[in-house]
Amino acid sequence: MSDIITYQNYIDSAFSGSDELIEVLNPANAELLARIPSAGAEQVERAIAAARKAQKGWAARPAIERAGYLRKIASKVRDNAERLAKIITREQGKVPGLALVEVNFTADYLDYMAEWARRLEGEVLTSDRANEHIFLLRKPLGVVAGILPWNFPFFLIARKMAPALLTGNTIVIKPSEETPINCFEFAKLVAETDLPKGVFNVVGGTGAKAGQALTSSAGVDLISFTGSVGTGSRIMAAAAPHITKLNLELGGKAPAIVLADADLELAVNAIKASRVINTGQVCNCAERVYVERKVAEQFIDKIASAMATTRYGDPSVEADLDMGPLINQAGLDKVAQMVKTAIGNGAQLVTGGAVADKGKGFHYQPTVLAGCKADMEIMRKEIFGPVLPIQIVDSLDEAIALANDSEYGLTSSIYTRNLSSALKASRELDFGETYINRENFEAMQGFHAGTRKSGIGGADGKHGLYEYTRTQVVYVQEQS
Ligand code: NAD
């Protein structure tokens, strides 16, 4: 297999290997795509030291200069968009159109964060004392550890790197071991620019080894993590001895509420698209539906037909697909088990409900389950697959109460033509984001942040940018 690339860590602007390697597979057919290093503590500490060494000089440059590097990288990403999208499709399984959206959005995000260079502001505060000046300065934190999931692996590089670098931090990224190829390809593009040594570093590896080494290191000032609740909790424990600051973007169990006065076509199309996009592996896609009894039968019929027409398969080979495979065997087994358990507990299978017969890949049929109840696992735990469980409700109040009764608090949505219902829902839904008459995605100028177990802090926009800074207050007493 001579055409199988073995990637290397990118530390201090140099590529270096590792004795131990991890194999990366194509989830659509389980074929070997590449090998990446499995970094241990020594390599991780080397990357952190490089980032530390570079940080002061980097922060000393004017923000507009730092922004210039982000723009250069954005331009490289655009020049390579088609190639990068193909890589993402092969290693992650998303359809080509979505992969290209991810790549272009990543370039736009780098440019968007660069625009903040002239808008980073401190404050001048009013003093209680005569002849005193109080300045609130905004400073970088230092070295950021960015730990990425596999579902939007390329965009997540920028979501962490762009605000970190713009505000004067340096970064060590660890991509998911499921989807690291796009990140090492991104590192190659960074290496083609004149970004100063050590500002951007990538280490490959597992969560247990490289991830644990990064998050338990005394040399890291902020851990910016996107991934599951379980890993977030382990990272909090690893960060505790050094009181390392955390930014955690964790799982979701987004409720979609469909009221009797909703535009049903719109609700069906939006919820179906949200459940199928990226094969249901999106933190803010509709994971459970509460539909008012009056329109329940009609809604279930329509969404079941819509889900049943979903075209799926190997997105590198077949054209015009709506979705590809799940990420791996464990993901497939989890989805299959959750559906089986739900049916065993009384849910009615309306469409789908089985592992798809598509060769060696990890494909699951688009599935609708009706008659679900609040205490079922399928209504409470993140499915992360193309499965839509539906519960019937008798009022908006009941829907909101059920939606809020969740350990997750990332996103939520409501479909209604009634302004008061929409406003009441946005007031009472206890989530970081609420979509009215639409589903995901979030805007880069918004603030993507969950409550409860969905995370701590957030990303995007001004508020996301400032997560990568700390404040220092300076008191100046005038001398007479
Ligand atoms: P995961 O938690 O399994 O892995 C995420 C990353 O953490 C990987 O890079 C992994 O190697 C690393 N990791 C694992 N154990 C670690 C440890 N002990 N210490 C340090 N690092 C460790 O998550 P995943 O399966 O890659 O991603 C799916 C999850 O991510 C879902 O729950 C999804 O909802 C969530 N997600 C959330 C958002 C958001 O913005 N809130 C966005 C995308 C995905």
Side-chain angles (χ1 to χ4, degrees):
M1 286 256 190
S2 56
D3 56 343
I4 301 293
I5 298 180
T6 298
Y7 286 92
Q8 299 194 314
N9 295 316
Y10 184 60
I11 300 174
D12 211 13
S13 297
F15 289 96
S16 58
S18 179
D19 294 342
E20 242 183 275
L21 297 174
I22 297 171
E23 295 193 333
V24 185
L25 305 183
N26 179 339
N29 56 24
E31 274 173 16
L32 178 64
L33 290 177
R35 296 184 180 86
I36 61 147
S38 175
E42 185 271 322
Q43 281 150 321
V44 166
E45 283 301 335
R46 213 151 49 73
I48 294 170
R52 173 69 58 203
K53 200 166 145 221
Q55 196 266 325
K56 287 242 168 340
W58 177 245
R61 289 168 185 256
I64 196 69
E65 237 178 84
R66 296 196 296 266
Y69 289 103
L70 295 184
R71 289 203 172 93
K72 276 187 205 173
I73 296 165
S75 161
K76 292 253 170 221
V77 167
R78 280 200 189 90
D79 290 347
N80 288 273
E82 298 280 346
R83 182 176 68 81
L84 291 165
K86 280 201 180 89
I87 289 171
I88 295 171
T89 291
R90 271 209 308 276
E91 71 173 326
Q92 196 268 322
K94 58 170 58 86
V95 296
L98 182 60
L100 197 56
V101 167
E102 181 174 352
V103 173
N104 286 325
F105 194 80
T106 301
D108 289 353
Y109 197 91
L110 289 159
D111 279 342
Y112 164 73
M113 279 295 168
E115 286 172 18
W116 279 96
R118 291 196 177 95
R119 297 186 177 89
L120 293 173
E121 291 174 352
E123 291 169 32
V124 179
L125 308 177
T126 312
S127 173
D128 292 350
R129 298 155 62 107
N131 303 326
E132 184 187 56
H133 305 265
I134 307 179
F135 304 117
L136 188 145
L137 310 181
R138 217 172 271 283
K139 294 191 154 180
L141 291 157
V143 174
V144 175
I147 301 186
L148 314 184
W150 47 259
N151 63 343
F152 286 92
F154 197 68
F155 166 55
L156 264 292
I157 305 171
R159 203 182 222 176
K160 304 207 180 295
M161 168 213 199
L165 266 53
L166 195 268
T167 49
N169 302 279
T170 53
I171 196 163
V172 180
I173 294 265
K174 191 203 87 62
S176 167
E177 55 272 49
E178 302 287 350
T179 53
I181 300 174
N182 66 85
C183 190
F184 287 110
E185 290 290 339
F186 182 92
K188 284 186 188 172
L189 295 180
V190 172
E192 288 172 16
T193 71
D194 54 349
L195 185 76
K197 270 174 78 173
V199 169
F200 175 80
N201 307 273
V202 177
V203 289
T206 63
K209 212 164 91 177
Q212 176 70 23
L214 252 181
T215 53
S216 58
S217 171
V220 167
D221 301 293
L222 170 72
I223 300 165
S224 179
F225 168 73
T226 302
S228 62
V229 171
T231 305
S233 173
R234 278 188 285 281
I235 286 177
M236 284 183 89
H242 303 298
I243 323 285
T244 310
K245 186 178 170 181
L246 293 165
N247 176 286
L248 303 177
E249 302 285 321
L250 308 177
K253 184 72 189 168
I257 299 173
V258 181
L259 296 186
D261 65 6
D263 177 336
L264 271 199
E265 291 299 324
L266 182 147
V268 165
N269 290 338
I271 293 171
K272 184 236 161 154
S274 149
R275 194 67 290 216
V276 160
I277 192 167
N278 212 28
T279 323
Q281 303 165 117
V282 188
C283 60
N284 58 359
C285 67
E287 275 260 337
R288 50 188 168 131
V289 173
Y290 301 104
V291 58
E292 265 194 309
R293 190 174 301 278
K294 219 164 130 192
V295 292
E297 204 181 310
Q298 218 186 334
F299 174 81
I300 292 165
D301 277 357
K302 282 176 185 287
I303 198 128
S305 309
M307 288 288 276
T309 61
T310 304
R311 295 155 303 178
Y312 61 99
D314 180 343
S316 296
V317 177
E318 297 166 67
D320 296 327
L321 295 179
D322 300 310
M323 68 176 204
L326 290 160
I327 188 67
N328 55 25
Q329 186 68 50
L332 183 64
D333 291 347
K334 178 186 146 197
V335 171
Q337 185 54 47
M338 285 182 84
V339 171
K340 201 168 150 212
T341 304
I343 294 169
N345 289 334
Q348 296 135 28
L349 181 65
V350 191
T351 188
V355 172
D357 185 14
K358 295 250 177 201
K360 277 190 179 160
F362 312 118
H363 302 272
Y364 197 82
Q365 295 175 345
T367 298
V368 173
L369 295 167
C372 295
K373 297 278 178 285
D375 59 355
M376 287 180 180
E377 177 199 43
I378 201 105
M379 294 299 277
R380 307 199 74 80
K381 296 280 173 212
E382 195 177 38
I383 306 165
F384 240 49
V387 175
L388 195 64
I390 301 173
Q391 179 168 356
I392 295 175
V393 293
D394 287 303
S395 66
L396 173 58
D397 283 327
E398 186 188 0
I400 291 173
L402 288 167
N404 285 341
D405 179 22
S406 171
E407 62 180 358
Y408 296 100
L410 193 57
T411 69
S412 50
S413 65
I414 178 162
Y415 295 83
T416 177
R417 288 186 170 104
N418 183 313
L419 180 62
S420 296
S421 300
L423 289 175
K424 176 183 162 76
S426 47
R427 185 165 42 79
E428 293 188 10
L429 280 169
D430 206 0
F431 290 81
E433 270 163 37
T434 297
Y435 302 104
I436 295 169
N437 293 324
R438 61 162 279 212
E439 289 294 329
N440 54 303
F441 288 108
E442 64 274 20
M444 61 182 80
Q445 63 272 38
F447 186 53
H448 182 60
T451 59
R452 300 188 287 281
K453 286 190 182 170
S454 289
I456 297 175
D460 309 336
K462 176 174 72 178
H463 302 287
L465 187 72
Y466 285 159
E467 297 261 322
Y468 289 80
T469 65
R470 64 181 178 82
T471 56
Q472 180 177 359
V473 182
V474 177
Y475 298 87
V476 184
Q477 188 67 52
E478 280 182 29
Q479 301 284 293
S480 51

